[in-house]
Amino acid sequence: DAGVTQSPTHLIKTRGQHVTLRCSPISGHKSVSWYQQVLGQGPQFIFQYYEKEERGRGNFPDRFSARQFPNYSSELNVNALLLGDSALYLCASSQLGAGNTEAFFGQGTRLTVV
Amino acid sequence: SQQGEEDPQALSIQEGENATMNCSYKTSINNLQWYRQNSGRGLVHLILIRSNEREKHSGRLRVTLDTSKKSSSLLITASRAADTASYFCATVNTNAGKSTFGDGTTLTVKP
């Protein structure tokens, strides 16, 4: 079985641009969560979606948005990129809502904003 | 300070020794999970321990949870060089739909 897949693996953007990151959960998993991990720190929670509805949101500005599609894949969108948005963006999927069962992480998308 | 803070920040041991990492948190939780991360790659789930459990084992891993002290520990016995990684605890509040990670413990196991 394929694990959680994220695309692209690496991305370089310019300040002010927009970016879309994609995540495909493990087959049968209905919950997808997004995290931002800055170098040297732990992952910071951004969003959680379960059954296509937003179930949790972290302390991120409105420039960050996400959605979940009928096939449970998900997109994370970031507008008006800032240098500080440079990070590893991680997607995690789980069968149930976040935390009820173990979460499986993808390898992440390394975003560099220049 | 953050929910889910790991202690120590860095740990260096010899192969074959045991490694103990601690995690403290502040608010109520439904469960607590430990993860491993190699060199900025994706996180690998190690163990989930629920708030009504006190101890859990998985191979060379042993996790304890003390909800009265709001703390957890991860013990890796008979460490190997391959255990070199960063280890994170994540506290989970299912009502809020989120997991909160600390900044991790960086473990180095010297061969």
Side-chain angles (χ1 to χ4, degrees):
Chain A
D1 283 341
V4 178
T5 57
Q6 292 187 243
S7 63
T9 54
H10 294 83
L11 198 54
I12 299 175
K13 289 284 190 178
T14 304
R15 276 179 299 175
Q17 286 189 314
H18 161 271
V19 68
T20 298
L21 309 181
R22 297 179 173 84
C23 173
S24 293
I26 292 172
S27 178
H29 285 194
K30 299 180 179 179
S31 174
V32 170
S33 299
W34 287 96
Y35 295 83
Q36 179 196 66
Q37 187 177 24
V38 174
L39 193 63
Q41 297 181 15
Q44 297 295 309
F45 172 77
I46 310 176
F47 289 109
Q48 191 238 342
Y49 278 79
Y50 179 65
E51 286 282 18
K52 292 154 281 184
E53 291 187 5
E54 182 183 303
R55 296 297 180 95
R57 174 185 284 254
N59 294 325
F60 279 81
D62 292 344
R63 299 184 296 106
F64 288 76
S65 63
R67 55 180 175 168
Q68 187 176 35
F69 299 99
N71 66 354
Y72 302 109
S73 67
S74 178
E75 283 182 354
L76 175 70
N77 296 284
V78 187
N79 293 324
L81 285 166
L82 303 174
L83 295 180
D85 295 331
S86 296
L88 180 67
Y89 287 84
L90 295 162
C91 170
S93 81
S94 58
Q95 286 185 317
L96 302 177
N100 285 303
T101 55
E102 64 181 284
F104 294 85
F105 280 79
Q107 291 300 300
T109 294
R110 173 74 63 186
L111 172 65
T112 302
V113 182
V114 297
Chain B
S1 53
Q2 294 188 57
Q3 177 90 327
E5 294 186 4
E6 292 88 349
D7 168 55
Q9 288 186 315
L11 183 60
S12 181
I13 59 174
Q14 292 295 134
E15 206 165 29
E17 294 181 337
N18 295 341
T20 300
M21 289 159 268
N22 302 298
C23 169
S24 60
Y25 58 93
K26 297 183 184 301
T27 62
S28 62
I29 63 171
N30 298 101
N31 64 62
L32 185 146
Q33 304 185 34
W34 284 90
Y35 290 85
R36 187 182 80 189
Q37 185 178 40
N38 291 82
S39 301
R41 304 292 289 169
L43 283 80
V44 175
H45 187 272
L46 297 175
I47 289 185
L48 180 156
I49 186 167
R50 301 192 185 281
S51 58
N52 61 352
E53 297 176 310
R54 292 296 168 259
E55 189 171 310
K56 212 161 182 181
H57 296 254
S58 176
R60 294 185 295 112
L61 307 180
R62 173 177 165 253
V63 167
T64 62
L65 178 64
D66 187 336
T67 52
S68 66
K69 295 181 179 178
K70 290 185 167 57
S71 67
S72 173
S73 67
L74 170 67
L75 169 67
I76 303 174
T77 60
S79 63
R80 305 166 182 169
D83 294 329
T84 295
S86 293
Y87 292 82
F88 296 90
C89 71
T91 54
V92 180
N93 183 318
T94 53
N95 290 332
K98 65 187 251 184
S99 298
T100 303
F101 287 80
D103 285 339
T105 292
T106 300
L107 173 67
T108 302
V109 181
K110 301 174 185 176

